[in-house]
Amino acid sequence: MATATINRPRDPNTLSNYNNWRTLHTSTTLEILFDQQKLQGIVSHDLQAITDGESDEIILDSSHVLVRSILAEGKPAKWETAKRLEPYGSALKIKLDRKPKLNERIDIQIELETTESCTALQWLTPAQTSNRKHPYMFSQCQAIHARSIFPCQDTPDVKATFDFSIKSPLPVIASGLGAKENPTSPSADGSSQLYKFHQRVPIPAYLFAIASGDIATASIGPRSTVATGPDELKDCTWELEESTEKFLQAGESLVYPYAWGEYNVLVLPPSFPYGGMENPVYTFATPTIISGDRENVDVIAHELSHSWSGNLVSNASWEHFWLNEGWTTYLERRIQSIVHGGDQWRDFSAIIGWQALADSIKNFGEEHEFTKLVIDLKGKDPDDAFSSIPYEKGFNFLYYIEKLIGKEEFDKFIPHYFETWRGKSLDSYDFKTTLLDFFKSDEKVSAELAKIDWDTWFYKPGFPPKPNFDTTLVDVAYRLADKWEEFTKEPNPDFGPNKLDIDGWTANQVVVFLERVMAFKTALPVPHAHQLGSVYNLKDTRNVEVSARYYQIAMASGDQSIKDFVVKLLGQVGRMKFVRPLYRGLMKLDYETAVETFEKNKDFYHPICRGMVAKDLLGSK
């Protein structure tokens, strides 16, 4: 059985000396101060020496955190904050009065407060929320932003249990199981109330999560709750209640029983930068999945899959991010095939994913380091490497292995892999060893696995080999796109665009059609782009997956009239999947409008999104 070497520092994106110390438990006693937009309180770490008498210094990751005082074993400790090293922050060095022996434990208490430069927290004024009554705050710690809330070993190679004690005048959600006495409504007089949560399954620091605001809850299954604003609760409940438990049961049938007790969903305000964040117990989700048609809830299948891939079994560093996201995308699509009825649904999703992969490779360039499966992040910011590539290239690698050895054999490996690495972190080489070891007594399967060109899959930039996907569910979309391509070149008496062209389609089939149009060698002429949007009613749809793609087609055609729709959407949605491509299109159509729109909305966007769009704007000059 493959085992990790505990003393090997595998993560280049941490300044901590986690090869000398490991955090076993973290307790956070924090107060949310909305008026000052900061957290303050005490964070305690229970650390264990994993070397014998080698180090009298504990080094933690820290970024823009104001440290007030530190106690080590209950006594004031000497400490210093090192000079800032971008993009990793400032190492916090805590001096001990001795060099502890192997397995000796040290308790560290840090009195602190966050600052306005904190990159993990977004603070919303009442005016930025749906009912405009109360402020709102939420965290997003992946990849290396937990260190901006509190000093910690901010690496996925370290996992710890957590206790949360959070004071707030508004309801609190956290990535743990809540105590029964937690209040469920805003305090009448605005005073702080105490909320407690516990996470008994060890998690890396990036899965620390809290949110606080005017939050209401409703049941969406026997072990699931949705939390969101009171005005959105009815819509969110309807959207999620049909599929959540089905997704859970499908995931359990592929791997093993769900380990986290409850699976809940917090639907955040629209500035949340991702489709979802797999925070344990409470997935943080974008409101763009609430489209009124249940067409986008497969995002929940993805985030739920992280309960096994990423949360229980984690990549040891962000250089091996595909182990989190490739596996999760693979499980998500297997869940889709179970719930929706057949592998054609998995391949349908994979075809959409291939287009996302192509877009990301185009944006980076086919020879770029970040188009590899295993990437080099030494001295680099993991956020800069974020794209669909680890998701889709990782999925395609696992899909390739499954097809190579057969689904029946691969399905035997899935629970073995997740049990072998349960509660641990691994890299790509551990994955390879685990796979080969599992089948080493099976000569037939081993002979097939010997065909894998590991170096090419791990290190070759650009596209992987494209599988022969089942196109049953996309053929109709491809045929319509082909008709449009011919229609734009010369008059076609046999084709006149009609709303019946897409009658009975799912929204995702419309997405595939639009992506095919986006891929035309020549952009649609402006009149045809107009016609496309009006005939199929694509401009005002509530489904952002559809409207955002249509807007990109219209901008590429040079349609100036689409600007108002784009600008409006960019002021309503903060999900980077939509925001960044829309800004790229707007920059080409009207750079000044793009800059004006960003300046107007930059405080609406999460700090991660704001930073990425600012880089895009600067890079396009």
Side-chain angles (χ1 to χ4, degrees):
M1 186 175 74
T3 56
T5 303
I6 199 168
N7 290 340
R8 179 158 48 103
R10 297 180 286 185
D11 186 353
N13 302 138
T14 176
L15 301 176
S16 68
N17 60 343
Y18 80 94
N19 54 322
N20 295 115
W21 301 91
R22 287 291 169 107
T23 306
L24 300 180
H25 181 75
T26 296
S27 296
T28 59
T29 303
L30 299 169
E31 184 169 8
I32 300 173
L33 301 175
F34 282 103
D35 56 339
Q36 300 176 55
Q37 295 193 342
K38 69 180 181 182
L39 306 180
Q40 71 176 23
I42 294 174
V43 173
S44 300
H45 296 300
D46 178 10
L47 296 116
Q48 184 176 44
I50 59 171
T51 54
D52 192 5
E54 285 189 13
S55 178
D56 62 355
E57 187 176 57
I58 295 171
I59 304 175
L60 302 177
D61 290 302
S62 179
S63 180
H64 301 301
V65 177
L66 179 58
V67 175
R68 295 292 189 185
S69 64
I70 297 177
L71 300 179
E73 300 182 283
K75 297 179 292 185
K78 294 181 180 179
W79 57 275
E80 64 173 335
T81 301
K83 183 179 179 182
R84 188 171 180 85
L85 177 65
E86 295 294 352
Y88 306 129
S90 308
L92 176 64
K93 300 182 177 182
I94 304 168
K95 196 73 171 177
L96 304 177
D97 57 10
R98 68 185 190 287
K99 295 181 178 180
K101 297 184 180 299
L102 180 66
N103 295 328
E104 191 173 344
R105 292 165 71 161
I106 299 290
D107 178 69
I108 300 294
Q109 293 185 38
I110 306 171
E111 183 184 2
L112 57 86
E113 59 186 66
T114 60
T115 68
E116 62 180 8
S117 299
C118 175
T119 53
L121 302 177
Q122 184 167 19
W123 300 86
L124 304 179
T125 64
Q128 291 174 290
T129 63
S130 58
N131 63 14
R132 301 177 182 273
K133 291 181 179 178
H134 300 282
Y136 201 107
M137 181 278 298
F138 66 89
S139 65
Q140 170 57 38
C141 289
Q142 193 182 42
I144 57 170
H145 300 282
R147 64 191 69 179
S148 72
I149 299 180
F150 54 88
C152 58
Q153 293 181 322
D154 196 4
T155 167
D157 213 7
V158 172
K159 295 184 174 184
T161 53
F162 274 80
D163 284 325
F164 303 76
S165 293
I166 310 293
K167 285 186 176 180
S168 176
L170 297 169
V172 172
I173 295 295
S175 50
L177 293 171
K180 290 182 179 179
E181 65 269 18
N182 281 348
T184 57
S185 60
S187 62
D189 60 359
S191 60
S192 288
Q193 304 176 85
L194 180 63
Y195 297 81
K196 291 187 175 184
F197 303 86
H198 309 283
Q199 183 50 264
R200 293 295 177 246
V201 181
I203 60 173
Y206 78 87
L207 292 177
F208 172 92
I210 55 173
S212 184
D214 191 0
I215 298 170
T217 61
S219 172
I220 52 171
R223 45 184 162 169
S224 300
T225 294
V226 65
T228 191
D231 296 343
E232 293 77 40
L233 188 61
K234 183 178 179 181
D235 283 353
C236 292
T237 302
W238 180 86
E239 201 90 22
L240 299 173
E241 64 185 355
E242 184 179 83
S243 298
T244 302
E245 180 62 21
K246 292 177 183 177
F247 289 156
L248 266 165
Q249 292 180 12
E252 289 177 321
S253 74
L254 290 166
V255 193
Y256 48 63
Y258 181 75
W260 306 87
E262 300 173 15
Y263 178 74
N264 305 316
V265 180
L266 172 65
V267 180
L268 286 161
S271 59
F272 184 58
Y274 298 106
M277 179 60 209
E278 62 271 19
N279 298 314
V281 181
Y282 263 102
T283 281
F284 284 18
T286 170
T288 62
I289 68 171
I290 310 302
S291 51
D293 54 13
R294 289 177 171 155
E295 290 278 355
N296 295 317
V297 295
D298 282 349
V299 166
I300 300 303
H302 181 90
E303 302 309 331
L304 169 65
S305 296
H306 271 302
S307 302
W308 296 275
S309 170
N311 294 7
L312 274 183
V313 177
S314 310
N315 49 225
S317 81
W318 303 112
E319 296 183 317
H320 303 271
F321 190 37
W322 78 271
L323 287 168
N324 277 19
E325 296 299 350
W327 261 112
T328 298
T329 304
Y330 177 86
L331 292 176
E332 167 201 355
R333 289 174 180 157
R334 290 293 302 274
I335 289 172
Q336 288 175 334
S337 69
I338 293 170
V339 172
H340 300 315
D343 275 353
Q344 71 269 28
W345 288 97
R346 171 171 71 153
D347 284 16
F348 178 42
S349 177
I351 290 167
I352 297 174
W354 188 271
Q355 183 60 49
L357 173 66
D359 291 343
S360 292
I361 291 174
K362 179 182 177 182
N363 288 332
F364 281 125
E366 285 200 39
E367 296 300 315
H368 198 282
E369 174 70 25
F370 294 162
T371 67
K372 298 176 182 177
L373 202 57
V374 178
I375 60 177
D376 180 2
L377 282 175
K378 294 178 180 65
K380 300 169 186 174
D381 187 341
D383 283 346
D384 291 342
F386 184 83
S387 76
S388 64
I389 291 167
Y391 296 71
E392 300 300 338
K393 202 167 184 176
F395 162 80
N396 278 282
F397 185 34
L398 296 171
Y399 186 94
Y400 163 76
I401 296 171
E402 178 212 294
K403 294 297 183 183
L404 189 66
I405 66 175
K407 185 188 288 186
E408 184 177 344
E409 294 297 333
F410 194 72
D411 280 0
K412 297 175 185 176
F413 174 68
I414 292 173
H416 169 78
Y417 168 76
F418 285 103
E419 187 57 41
T420 299
W421 291 101
R422 185 180 183 131
K424 303 173 187 175
S425 304
L426 77 161
D427 59 27
S428 300
Y429 321 113
D430 294 321
F431 165 77
K432 175 183 176 181
T433 300
T434 307
L435 178 69
L436 298 181
D437 281 355
F438 181 70
F439 290 109
K440 66 183 178 183
S441 61
D442 188 321
E443 292 184 8
K444 182 180 177 182
V445 175
S446 293
E448 292 301 314
L449 292 175
K451 298 175 182 177
I452 299 174
D453 185 341
W454 292 93
D455 283 352
T456 295
W457 273 103
F458 283 171
Y459 307 121
K460 184 181 179 181
F463 287 93
K466 187 171 184 179
N468 185 25
F469 293 125
D470 181 338
T471 62
T472 301
L473 295 174
V474 299
D475 284 339
V476 62
Y478 287 167
R479 286 195 294 270
L480 182 59
D482 290 342
K483 290 179 181 179
W484 268 89
E485 191 164 27
E486 291 300 317
F487 176 64
T488 59
K489 292 177 181 175
E490 55 185 69
N492 183 352
D494 298 324
F495 177 68
N498 188 297
K499 64 180 181 180
L500 295 178
D501 294 340
I502 60 172
D503 188 44
W505 285 23
T506 67
N508 281 333
Q509 286 174 305
V510 176
V511 165
V512 170
F513 162 68
L514 293 175
E515 289 186 338
R516 192 80 158 191
V517 175
M518 290 166 66
F520 287 172
K521 291 182 179 179
T522 304
L524 291 182
V526 171
H528 290 93
H530 267 305
Q531 193 174 16
L532 180 73
S534 59
V535 170
Y536 301 145
N537 191 29
L538 303 176
K539 289 184 180 179
D540 295 312
T541 174
R542 187 178 171 187
N543 193 318
V544 183
E545 297 281 358
V546 172
S547 62
R549 286 172 171 85
Y550 170 67
Y551 295 167
Q552 291 177 67
I553 291 169
M555 285 190 289
S557 77
D559 180 6
Q560 295 290 327
S561 71
I562 203 65
K563 281 193 294 188
D564 289 345
F565 291 90
V566 176
V567 168
K568 181 181 178 182
L569 187 60
L570 286 171
Q572 296 173 332
V573 172
R575 185 178 176 184
M576 290 195 292
K577 175 182 179 179
F578 305 123
V579 170
R580 295 185 71 190
L582 288 173
Y583 268 110
R584 291 187 190 114
L586 190 57
M587 281 181 244
K588 293 177 182 177
L589 184 67
D590 185 336
Y591 185 80
E592 293 302 319
T593 296
V595 172
E596 291 172 7
T597 303
F598 177 68
E599 288 298 322
K600 180 181 178 181
N601 295 304
K602 64 183 181 182
D603 291 336
F604 162 71
Y605 301 135
H606 187 277
I608 296 172
C609 178
R610 183 164 62 240
M612 298 305 289
V613 174
K615 289 179 181 179
D616 291 341
L617 285 166
L618 188 63
S620 70
K621 279 189 175 181

